[in-house]
């Protein structure tokens, strides 16, 4: 699936409107410094969502994306998708959809990844260990450079 998302907001704005995220996942707030915002405004990106069903799926998706010129996404891009596409779960025909950033972050001293979890009535943004993202509701996100679009 391809979507276009605006990704130029600052970290606090990216998480605004998600009080549950701030209460339940304070780690998300702490990793913002790992992904500073761009100085540019009105940035829109085309994002590809890819899904694999097997152990190590995130690594498989990243290995597949590399020769196709796709770039790993940051939490900022994934959080923007969650906020801008409240019906993404319906578009993907799933009751629960979890979009995962493919650029690693440090989480409790280990490699982790941020995600946006969407259902019909709930939005959560969080961070977890890379091994947490190997089930069928996980979609791995990649930015498509303008030269490819």
């Amino acid at each position: 699936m391809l979507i276009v998302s605006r990704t130029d907001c600052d970290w606090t704005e990216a998480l605004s409107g998600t009080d549950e995220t701030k209460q339940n996942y304070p780690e998300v707030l702490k990793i913002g410094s790992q992904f500073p915002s761009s100085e540019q405004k009105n940035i829109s990106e085309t994002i590809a969502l890819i899904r694999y069903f097997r152990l190590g799926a995130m690594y498989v998706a990243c290995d597949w994306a590399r020769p196709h010129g796709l770039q790993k996404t940051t939490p900022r891009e994934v959080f923007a998708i969650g906020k801008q596409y409240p019906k993404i779960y319906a578009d993907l025909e799933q009751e629960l959809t979890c979009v995962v950033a493919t650029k690693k972050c440090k989480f409790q001293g280990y490699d982790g990844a941020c995600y946006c979890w969407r259902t019909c009535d709930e939005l959560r943004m969080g961070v977890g260990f890379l091994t947490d993202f190997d089930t069928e509701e996980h979609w791995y996100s990649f930015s498509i450079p303008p030269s490819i679009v």
Side-chain angles (χ1 to χ4, degrees), residues 27-52:
E27 302 89 5
V28 176
L29 297 173
K30 294 177 190 173
I31 64 168
S33 62
Q34 295 177 40
F35 304 98
S37 63
S38 170
E39 297 296 320
Q40 295 178 303
K41 294 295 177 199
N42 298 319
I43 299 173
S44 290
E45 293 185 47
T46 303
I47 307 287
L49 300 179
I50 300 167
R51 183 166 71 161
Y52 283 95

Side-chain angles (χ1 to χ4, degrees), residues 1 10 18 31 40 46 73 90 101 106 121 139:
M1 176 177 185
D10 72 18
T18 58
I31 64 168
Q40 295 178 303
T46 303
T73 54
K106 285 297 179 190
D121 58 355
W139 290 78

Side-chain angles (χ1 to χ4, degrees), residues 50-63:
I50 300 167
R51 183 166 71 161
Y52 283 95
F53 306 127
R54 64 177 179 199
L55 191 61
M58 185 166 174
Y59 295 106
V60 173
C62 290
D63 287 346

Side-chain angles (χ1 to χ4, degrees), residues 37-105:
S37 63
S38 170
E39 297 296 320
Q40 295 178 303
K41 294 295 177 199
N42 298 319
I43 299 173
S44 290
E45 293 185 47
T46 303
I47 307 287
L49 300 179
I50 300 167
R51 183 166 71 161
Y52 283 95
F53 306 127
R54 64 177 179 199
L55 191 61
M58 185 166 174
Y59 295 106
V60 173
C62 290
D63 287 346
W64 177 87
R66 190 176 305 112
H68 292 88
L70 305 181
Q71 300 170 345
K72 292 181 179 181
T73 54
T74 68
R76 186 178 305 282
E77 292 154 319
V78 170
F79 296 162
I81 291 168
K83 288 182 69 171
Q84 295 168 32
Y85 291 89
K87 301 268 186 211
I88 193 167
Y89 65 93
D91 294 340
L92 296 171
E93 299 178 358
Q94 291 182 277
E95 289 182 28
L96 165 67
T97 297
C98 184
V99 178
V100 182
T102 45
K103 191 172 276 189
K104 296 176 191 174
C105 64

Side-chain angles (χ1 to χ4, degrees), residues 110-147:
Y110 297 95
D111 285 340
C114 285
Y115 63 89
C116 174
W117 187 71
R118 255 291 181 203
T119 64
C120 61
D121 58 355
E122 191 171 12
L123 166 64
R124 287 190 184 185
M125 298 175 189
V127 60
F129 300 107
L130 292 183
T131 54
D132 294 341
F133 303 109
D134 283 340
T135 61
E136 64 185 46
E137 68 266 1
H138 293 108
W139 290 78
Y140 308 101
S141 57
F142 296 91
S143 178
I144 303 174
S147 60

